[in-house]
Structure formats: C-alpha cells, structure tokens
Amino acid sequence: MKLYEQLADTIRQQIEDGIMLAGEKIPSVRRTSQQYQLSISTVIRAYLLLESRGLIESRPQSGYFVRTHQQGAPTHADIPAAAGQMSRDMAPAALVLSNMRSINSENRIPLGSPYPDPTLFPSARISQLAHGLYKRRDRQELMGSLPPGNPDLIRQIARRHLETGLPVNPAEIVVTEGATEAINLCLQAISRPGDGIAVEAPTYYALLHAIERIGMRAVPVPADGVNGIDLPSLHAVIEAGQVAGAVVMPTFQNPMGFEMPEQRKRALVDLMASHRLPLIENDVYGELHYAEQRPRTLKAFDHHGLVLYCSSFSKSLSPEHRIGWTLPGRYREAVERLKFLNTVSTPSHPQRAIAEYLQNEGYDFHLRRLRKTLAQQERIMRATVLRFFPAGTQCSEPGGGYLLWVTLPRSILAMDLHARAQAAGISVAPGNMFSTDNAFAHCIRLNYSFAWDAGIEQAVRLLGEIAHELAARAPAQPVAEPPRQAPLNGLTKAS
C-alpha cells in the first residue's frame, strides 16, 4: 500500500472502532502531517480518498468531519442477504446484553428497549433543580443521604401513597437507587443463597438475573394475560417446599402488560400470608394507568407486613436520576442494614430535586399528559401489528405502561425474527429473554413509548413482512408449550 492509502486505512479503522464518531471533526491536515511525519500532500490525498469513500466530508472554512450517515425508514433492502438466523442456543444473559447494546447503536429503532422515551419526561427540569441544590450544598450532603434517605423525599412519597389510596408510615420507607436496587435488597432480606423464589412466567429478565446473581433459584409459575400468576400452580410449589418467597409484578406486568384483578390480588396476598411467606411487589408501572383510577397494590391488602413493595420514579418522572424506594414491612430493619452495607448512601441532590418537583412542579399534570400519550400510542401500535402481522398473531391489551406482548404463530421463532430485524436496524425483545426455558420462543415484546412517526410505522410493517416470510418459509418448529397459559386471555388476535 502507498503511504496515503496506509494513512486512509488507519483513519478508517479509527472511525469503525468508534474513536472518531459521526459528526466529529478529524485532525487538521497540518496536525496529521506532523503526527504521522508525512508530507501535507500525502495527507491531502488520504483525506480525498476517505471522502470519495463516503467516510469523511469537507466543510468550507471548517476542515474535515466524520460523515453522518442519514438513515430513513428501514426497508427490505436494509437486510443483508447473508443475515442468518441468530443462535437459538444463546444464553439468556448473553441475549439480553446483545439486545441492550443494539438499542444503544446509532439510528437503531428501539422497539426492543425496556426504557421509556426520555423525551416524555421533565428530566431537564429535575437536573436544573438538582444543580441549584448542589451549589447550595452543605457539609452533610457531600456524602449523600444515609439510609433511609432524604426526609423531604420520604415525606413526599408517603403523601403520594396517601393520595393514591395507600396510607403508609413514613418510617417504613427506604429510598434506593431505582427499583432494581430495592428488589435486590428485598431478595437478600427474605431469603438465602440456594433458596427458590417463585416468579411469573414470563417475567422481566432483570429479575431472573438478580435472583441468579444472589445465588438463588428462580421457580417459574405460569401466568396469563388477564389474571396474572396462576394461584393453584403457586400453591403447588409452596406446598412442595420449593420456594422461600415470591416476586411478582401484578400491575401492567413486564412483559405481558396485564393488570391482575383486585380480587386475585387479595387472594394472592392471603395465600402467601397463610404460609407466612414474603411477597415482593414490583410496582414501577403503577402510575402509568390509562383508566381514571390507579389500580390498588398488593400492599393495600397486606395485614401482616409480608408484602415488600418496590417502586421508582424511573418510569413515571425521570429515567435518568434512578431514585426508587421500598416499603419492606416486617423486613424494614434488614433492608435498611443491607442498603447501608451495599451502597452506604444514595446521592442527596437527585432526591431533594425530585422531592421539590413533587411538591411544587405539577406531578399530576405531567402524569395526565404522559398517560394520554401512552394510551394513544398503544392503540396505534396494537392496531398496526394486528394489521400487518400474519393471521393468528395475538396482542396483549395493556391498561397501562408502554409495553406490548405479541404472540406469533408457532411456526415463527422469535429469535429468527430478532436476527432479521437486527440486520434491518430494528431492535425487538424476543420472548427467550423472559424465561429460563423456551416456553415463549414464539413471542416478542415491543416498546410503544416512542413518538409514532413514519420510521416507526415502517419498522412495524417491516417486522410484519419478515414474520410473513418466516411463516411461509419454515415448517412448524417443535417449541415447548407454555405451561397452563390461556391462549387468548387478555389478547387480541389478528384475523
């Protein structure tokens, strides 16, 4: 290779490795000449070669910049001919990590994201409040708020529960770094390594990872799209001595989106209490209800301190600031001690900023607007899926949150759809991520929180086209049946 070709290849590799990002200015001709000890004419020839290849562009009076590639709505042409099937044997943790990395990729349409669209939230205002508080910080706040947390925030959380029909004792509240830490602390408080923990099947993959990381065993219990976790099946594993407790998401569950009926919530709490077993409730989506009334929590039916309630502001107010809390009932002292041992404290200024927003900035107005937006986008997404996906496709009908559970015909494997979608610049969450087996290998989860536009509509239509192709091309695959899952409960079926 000639010198200018060697230099061009070096810069190309730096761009591909992400050292120089799209839109960034690259070193000037003179600086590159000095750095690589090459003549200016050699550097210019290298830059012209990179420009001819579409990797960089010159801007008058400014220099050379890494070219920004504009990507429109995906089409079949975006899928490489060599895009093969992703390994169906990929471990769930590896699959989740791969999916999360793809979501962060530039121009990826994030239908598989577990996170809501950040533009829906007043995060900038909360950051502004936190910055103002930081400038007025005192000595005690330099180390953060020790457990149980900032008193102003604890008071606002207690007031919020009171307004939504759940009187709580502020002394029970422990502030955490998001709901994930709250659940981890509660898991450690209720059981020991080696214990079994009952979970819904399917369930959110982060819970499966948390149970595995602590050294416990996830014991899947079937759930359907209307009633949630199957109580007779749960009773059976309890009677068999397989579990030391349970973790459930009874309100707008991730991934299925169901809202457990109030009568069954009461029955679930009574079942666990009759065996004196703890029950962790994940309620991160509770504020995102589309109906007028907020659904009642499991905690509302708890008379024995066995329900450990966990929630956060990450899904309703500020995904960036990672502030959550728990009401751990009789396990409160253990959770506070574990909080101190694990992380010592939680940053003070985000807590104070959220407390100030709750008190003075119109949280209810923000929630009403957010709920209306999500409800509208849910109707559009579900209607589009049912229109363009193959006959027999079923969709959940969530009454809150921002996640749609799609059950494909059994001849279509979600991992195959996932691989083809990835190649086209679309992320989806295959059902394999939400269980410890392949019971949901024909399901996907879609995120409808992002503003509906031509790109997202085309992405959903393309997913439907891919699903049609997979259905026509492959014979029915032997897929394990989900245990006791009602086929159409809470689902709308494509005709």
Side-chain angles (χ1 to χ4, degrees):
M1 296 176 66
K2 297 179 180 179
L3 287 177
Y4 77 91
E5 292 175 327
Q6 294 179 23
L7 176 59
D9 191 61
T10 298
I11 296 174
R12 174 195 60 77
Q13 189 64 52
Q14 292 173 346
I15 294 173
E16 291 180 358
D17 290 343
I19 299 173
M20 293 186 288
L21 301 178
E24 287 188 345
K25 186 176 182 179
I26 68 174
S28 67
V29 171
R30 184 174 297 279
R31 182 176 176 183
T32 301
S33 171
Q34 295 171 347
Q35 179 181 356
Y36 291 94
Q37 297 183 347
L38 297 171
S39 68
I40 288 180
S41 62
T42 298
V43 175
I44 291 176
R45 291 189 68 183
Y47 280 18
L48 290 175
L49 178 59
L50 290 167
E51 190 173 16
S52 69
R53 293 175 177 176
L55 294 175
I56 66 174
E57 59 186 4
S58 62
R59 299 178 186 176
Q61 310 300 320
S62 298
Y64 287 90
F65 294 77
V66 179
R67 186 175 180 183
T68 301
H69 296 276
Q70 301 296 327
Q71 179 173 316
T75 66
H76 261 101
D78 296 314
I79 305 178
Q85 297 181 353
M86 181 173 288
S87 171
R88 297 170 190 168
D89 297 325
M90 181 180 289
L95 175 59
V96 171
L97 180 59
S98 173
N99 198 56
M100 297 295 287
R101 283 173 173 165
S102 74
I103 291 166
N104 290 331
S105 299
E106 186 179 4
N107 294 323
R108 182 77 59 178
I109 296 180
L111 301 183
S113 174
Y115 307 116
D117 181 356
T119 64
L120 295 171
F121 303 95
S123 297
R125 175 56 181 158
I126 294 174
S127 296
Q128 186 180 38
L129 292 171
H131 182 69
L133 292 166
Y134 179 79
K135 292 194 296 185
R136 303 195 301 271
R137 66 190 184 278
D138 54 40
R139 185 177 60 186
Q140 287 75 21
E141 290 177 337
L142 292 177
M143 63 180 298
S145 292
L146 294 172
N150 180 269
D152 293 335
L153 178 60
I154 288 175
R155 185 173 68 87
Q156 290 301 323
I157 291 172
R159 285 178 60 92
R160 185 68 196 172
H161 278 299
L162 181 62
E163 292 169 1
T164 56
L166 179 64
V168 301
N169 183 351
E172 186 183 351
I173 298 171
V174 178
V175 177
T176 61
E177 294 186 21
T180 299
E181 186 190 31
I183 293 170
N184 284 333
L185 294 173
C186 290
L187 280 170
Q188 294 175 66
I190 69 171
S191 53
R192 297 170 297 182
D195 285 342
I197 302 295
V199 299
E200 298 146 327
T203 192
Y204 184 38
Y205 49 76
L207 174 60
L208 297 175
H209 297 167
I211 292 172
E212 179 183 359
R213 183 174 61 251
I214 298 172
M216 302 172 187
R217 296 178 294 104
V219 179
V221 179
D224 66 51
V226 170
N227 296 314
I229 194 167
D230 184 73
L231 297 186
S233 298
L234 177 60
H235 185 257
V237 299
I238 292 174
E239 286 289 326
Q242 297 182 33
V243 298
V247 184
V248 297
M249 188 182 293
T251 304
F252 316 132
Q253 189 248 18
N254 181 355
M256 294 184 76
F258 62 74
E259 176 190 343
M260 181 182 285
E262 188 170 300
Q263 183 178 358
R264 289 183 65 89
K265 289 182 179 179
R266 186 190 302 271
L268 172 58
V269 173
D270 290 344
L271 171 62
M272 299 298 289
S274 68
H275 292 83
R276 299 181 180 178
L277 290 176
L279 176 62
I280 299 175
E281 177 182 14
N282 183 350
D283 191 43
V284 293
Y285 302 103
E287 291 280 22
L288 304 183
H289 54 91
Y290 304 156
E292 187 68 25
Q293 192 69 26
R294 191 192 197 282
R296 296 186 73 182
T297 64
L298 298 178
K299 188 72 174 178
F301 304 109
D302 179 29
H303 305 294
H304 305 282
L306 289 170
V307 173
L308 297 84
Y309 175 94
C310 301
S311 189
S312 81
F313 294 105
S314 299
K315 305 298 189 293
S316 62
L317 182 59
S318 179
E320 298 176 5
H321 292 89
R322 305 292 300 165
I323 297 297
W325 71 96
T326 178
L327 298 162
R330 64 171 63 181
Y331 298 91
R332 192 236 180 249
E333 289 187 12
V335 168
E336 181 175 349
R337 178 178 59 84
L338 287 165
K339 166 64 181 176
F340 178 74
L341 292 175
N342 285 349
T343 56
V344 180
S345 65
T346 300
S348 175
H349 298 101
Q351 293 185 63
R352 293 182 61 190
I354 288 178
E356 184 170 333
Y357 189 95
L358 294 175
Q359 182 173 359
N360 301 317
E361 300 282 337
Y363 184 42
D364 281 309
F365 174 78
H366 156 71
L367 285 176
R368 285 193 295 270
R369 183 172 56 186
L370 175 61
R371 293 167 187 151
K372 181 179 179 181
T373 298
L374 293 177
Q376 291 173 341
Q377 293 177 182
E378 181 271 335
R379 289 193 293 269
I380 297 172
M381 174 74 81
R382 183 156 48 86
T384 306
V385 168
L386 292 173
R387 179 181 178 187
F388 292 104
F389 275 58
T393 299
Q394 303 169 19
C395 284
S396 61
E397 299 184 52
Y402 52 85
L403 302 170
L404 189 71
W405 184 244
V406 181
T407 303
L408 303 166
R410 290 189 175 274
S411 60
I412 304 172
L413 291 180
M415 290 295 286
D416 294 346
L417 178 63
H418 174 261
R420 297 286 305 280
Q422 290 279 73
I426 308 168
S427 75
V428 299
N432 306 62
M433 300 196 311
F434 302 98
S435 69
T436 56
D437 53 30
N438 287 325
F440 305 97
H442 59 293
C443 302
I444 61 172
R445 189 198 65 188
L446 300 177
N447 181 327
Y448 55 81
S449 69
F450 296 87
W452 190 265
D453 58 18
I456 289 183
E457 179 177 355
Q458 181 60 29
V460 177
R461 293 181 65 168
L462 179 55
L463 290 177
E465 293 176 15
I466 296 171
H468 276 284
E469 289 183 5
L470 293 173
R473 185 178 303 174
Q477 299 288 336
V479 181
E481 292 282 344
R484 295 177 59 91
Q485 184 182 4
L488 286 175
N489 281 354
L491 301 176
T492 299
K493 186 172 182 180
S495 58

